[in-house]
Every structure is written in structure tokens, then in C-alpha cells.
Amino acid sequence: MTQSRIVGTGRSVPPKVLTNEDLARMVDTSDAWIVERTGIRERHILDSSLAASDLATDAGRRACARAGVSPSVVDCIIVGTVTGDCPFPATATFVQKKLGAPAGGCAFDLSAACAGFLYGVSIADAFIRIGQFKNVLVIGVEVLSRIIDWSDRSTCVLFGDAAGAVLMTAGDENSPGRVLSTHLFADGGLAEILWQPVGGSREPTTAEALGAKRQFVQMNGREVYRHAVKNMATGARLALEANGFKADDVAWVIAHQANLRILEGVSERVGIPMNRFFTNVDRYGNTSSASVPTALDEAIEQGKLKTGDLLLFAALGGGLAWASAAVRW
Ligand code: ACO
């Protein structure tokens, strides 16, 4: 039976670093507060001359190189983002051109915030299993620094910019990197606990809206925290149950790097100790849809994953949208 498999990963992280000490000079906060509440020590910020498609293209190119293929074989590009180059067309179309992937392939964005990458993996998995596309590049990219109110200490300390990518292709039930399952969820009743109200058809960008700073991320941090722990844990447990696995079978959890306390809450609920959670939130902050593929790429680079390892993925973000996946490495 055809199954999809991950054959290459890549990430792109802008060189400019913003530390907690830097933030303490901008707003009323401290390194101690940020580290205690989030585990974040620094984050990376994209240069103003560049856009999401630049980061995404770089990550996509690296994923193709790691897979040992030319971008010319990529027939589908899926970009999970809420900070694309512009409202339309899709950032994926800019990536297609910059990457040198063939015109006539498919390229589209999807909006599932921090769950966007895993939503993309799920769609790619379905495309590959039914034979619609052969080489699908799934990218999570965010330039959240552009939609953050840098005078709001309750949000500006949390986020960073990055892109991560995987190249997926067809394999069989013995292929390394194969996707065993994906589960997707959403609860629109919670849409307004984490959102960017202005810039769409509901509240177009007017001088009044800008004055009220509603073009920036608005968040009820406590509510997001509560739902993040609960729903990521539920999604992760479902991924295990669907495959007949136990918590002990999991070699690594590659979860959305929102903050360390959320990951610790998920660890406790799923019964998988933190030493089997890969974390890089301390150095990148919350990079939304980029966080899971960036973490996966770093875990590979650090030699942490062995062939045959069971990987458990989970993410949650605005929507609320959340997702989980199991992969046999
Ligand atoms: N520095 C210092 N003090 C701060 C800061 C800051 N950066 N931000 C808020 N505070 C203050 C508040 O003003 C408040 O002060 P008060 O008691 O005098 O009113 C106090 O700290 C406590 O504020 P809370 O918001 O209650 O703090 P909490 O313990 O909930 O921590 C946090 C806030 C870290 C945002 C937490 O709610 C959280 O992690 N939520 C999840 C948010 C998240 O991860 N969002 C990312 C997008 S969604 C996702 O990726 C899953």
C-alpha cells in the first residue's frame, strides 16, 4: 500500500537575534519573567528587506537538497502561514517561482496558525496516497515580528520568525520517514482568543483600526494556555491510540514550541517524560507554523533520531486549530 514519507527536511532562521535583555530595554519586562513563564531566552527577527517567501524558499531548497533532489521535481507546494507576503496570491506561488519548481504544479497556502504545518502534512499525505502529486513540499513559515505590537509586553516576548520545510514523497509500509497517521481538529468557538482582527473583510485596514492597534496579534494568554495543554495532549493520545501504541513506544515528541510550560503540561498529561520532548523554544521563541518542522530539522541535525524511531507530533494555534501525527522514522 502506498504511504507518504518524509525524505528531506530544512529550516531557515534569520541571523538577527533579539534577546530577553533587548526586550527589557523596549518594554517593562525582564529575562527572569520571560524565562520562568515561557522558557524563551531569545528569538530571531527577519530583516525588513525580506518577506515570508524568502525564508520559506530557503527552507524548501534545503529540504530538497537533503532529499538529494532538484526543486524541479516538486509538483505541489503547501505553505502554512498567517504572515504570508500579502493577502493574495498565495505565498506558495512566490515560493514556486523563487525555488525554480515547475510552473503548472500546484501551490497554495493554508491558514491554521501554529497547526498549519501539521495540517499541510496531512493534506500532502492524502495527495500522495491517492497519487495526485508525487513530490510535495510542505513549509511552515512565519514572520510574526510584522504583526506584533512591540509595545505590548504580554505578546511581544513570545514570538519569533523562521521557516521549516519537509519534502514528502511516496513509499511503502517499510519505508523510513513514513507517516502513520494524522489527526486534525478545530474549535471555531474559540476563534477570538487568539487572532489578528484587522486586515480582512470583517475589519478592513482603516486609520481608525490602526489607531486602535487591532492589526496586531490579540491574545487571551491564560485561555490559550489552558486549551493548548488540554488539546495537544488529547491529539497526541489519539495519535497513539489510532496506531495501537503506548506512551513508552515514543522515541521523540516533536511538538509545537509555544513555550516550555505548555510542553511540560502536555508531557504530564500524555505520560511521556520531558527528556523525550525535543525543545528549541529557548533559542527561537514561538515561530507558529514553522516551529514543528524547524524542531524536526534540528533534531535530525543533532543526530537525535534513529531509523525506526516512533515520532509523535502535536501542535495547536489560532482557530483554535490543532493537529497530531505519528511518523516511523
Ligand atoms: N513581563 C513582565 N510581566 C508581564 C509580562 C511580561 N512580558 N506579560 C505579562 N506580565 C504581567 C501581567 O501584566 C500580569 O501582571 P498583573 O498581575 O500586575 O496584572 C502578570 O504578569 C501575570 O500575567 P498573566 O497573563 O496572568 O501571566 P501568565 O502566568 O498567564 O503568563 C503567558 C502569561 C506566558 C502569556 C501565559 O499565559 C502563556 O504561556 N499563554 C500561552 C500563550 C501562547 O503560548 N501563545 C502563543 C500563541 S498560541 C500557541 O502557540 C499555543
Side-chain angles (χ1 to χ4, degrees):
M1 194 181 70
T2 303
Q3 281 186 273
S4 75
R5 54 187 293 238
I6 295 171
V7 290
T9 66
R11 70 181 186 281
S12 184
V13 180
K16 184 181 170 192
V17 173
L18 186 72
T19 65
N20 289 350
E21 285 78 13
D22 295 330
L23 279 166
R25 286 189 284 274
M26 297 159 59
V27 289
D28 182 14
T29 190
S30 65
D31 176 57
W33 192 96
I34 301 170
V35 172
E36 191 200 318
R37 304 288 171 124
T38 71
I40 299 167
R41 295 180 185 276
E42 59 187 37
R43 67 288 292 144
H44 292 246
I45 306 294
L46 187 66
D47 186 83
S48 59
S49 64
L50 298 172
S53 64
D54 297 304
L55 271 183
T57 302
D58 188 36
R61 187 170 288 125
R62 288 166 191 267
C64 290
R66 185 79 72 94
V69 301
S70 156
S72 63
V73 305
V74 173
D75 53 358
C76 174
I77 300 173
I78 304 172
V79 173
T81 188
V82 296
T83 51
D85 286 21
C86 45
F88 78 90
T91 296
T93 60
F94 296 117
V95 173
Q96 185 196 56
K97 170 83 170 70
K98 290 179 181 178
L99 197 60
C106 138
F108 65 95
D109 292 358
L110 68 85
S111 176
C114 309
F117 172 75
L118 290 182
Y119 265 61
V121 166
S122 183
I123 294 165
D125 175 57
F127 277 163
I128 289 167
R129 280 192 288 106
I130 64 171
Q132 191 164 359
F133 295 103
K134 285 193 167 55
N135 295 294
V136 184
L137 193 55
V138 182
I139 304 173
V141 60
E142 300 295 358
V143 190
L144 290 160
S145 60
R146 306 270 160 86
I147 62 164
I148 296 300
D149 177 358
W150 287 103
S151 66
D152 174 10
R153 69 176 182 174
S154 68
T155 51
C156 76
V157 301
L158 301 175
F159 300 101
D161 302 335
V166 297
L167 184 70
M168 293 174 62
T169 187
D172 59 27
E173 56 269 23
N174 296 311
S175 303
R178 66 192 179 278
V179 175
L180 303 177
S181 66
T182 61
H183 289 87
L184 308 181
F185 316 87
D187 181 352
L190 299 168
E192 293 174 13
I193 67 170
L194 176 59
W195 65 321
Q196 182 191 13
V198 158
S201 57
R202 187 197 295 202
E203 286 188 57
T205 311
T206 60
E208 195 185 359
L210 296 181
K213 296 188 168 186
R214 288 173 60 76
Q215 73 277 31
F216 296 125
V217 171
Q218 320 275 312
M219 180 182 77
N220 180 334
R222 288 204 167 173
E223 280 299 285
V224 170
Y225 182 94
R226 203 164 63 81
H227 291 289
V229 172
K230 179 167 64 84
N231 292 334
M232 277 170 64
T234 306
R237 277 201 302 263
L238 206 60
L240 293 180
E241 282 163 25
N243 292 286
F245 295 134
K246 301 263 179 299
D248 281 351
D249 297 324
V250 176
W252 285 102
V253 180
I254 314 273
H256 171 45
Q257 309 284 304
N259 80 45
L260 209 52
R261 283 198 308 164
I262 290 179
L263 293 176
E264 286 165 354
V266 175
S267 158
E268 200 171 303
R269 281 183 180 232
V270 184
I272 301 176
M274 274 306 283
N275 63 9
R276 283 192 271 143
F277 277 63
F278 182 82
T279 62
N280 62 12
V281 68
D282 55 330
R283 287 172 292 117
Y284 296 144
N286 181 342
T287 60
S288 188
S289 66
S291 90
V292 170
T294 299
L296 174 63
D297 188 56
E298 267 207 351
I300 294 167
E301 194 175 85
Q302 292 176 13
K304 299 218 185 267
L305 311 189
K306 295 191 307 291
T307 303
D309 276 353
L310 177 65
L311 309 185
L312 179 61
F313 293 84
L316 174 140
L320 293 182
W322 63 104
S324 63
V327 169
R328 182 64 78 184
W329 198 244

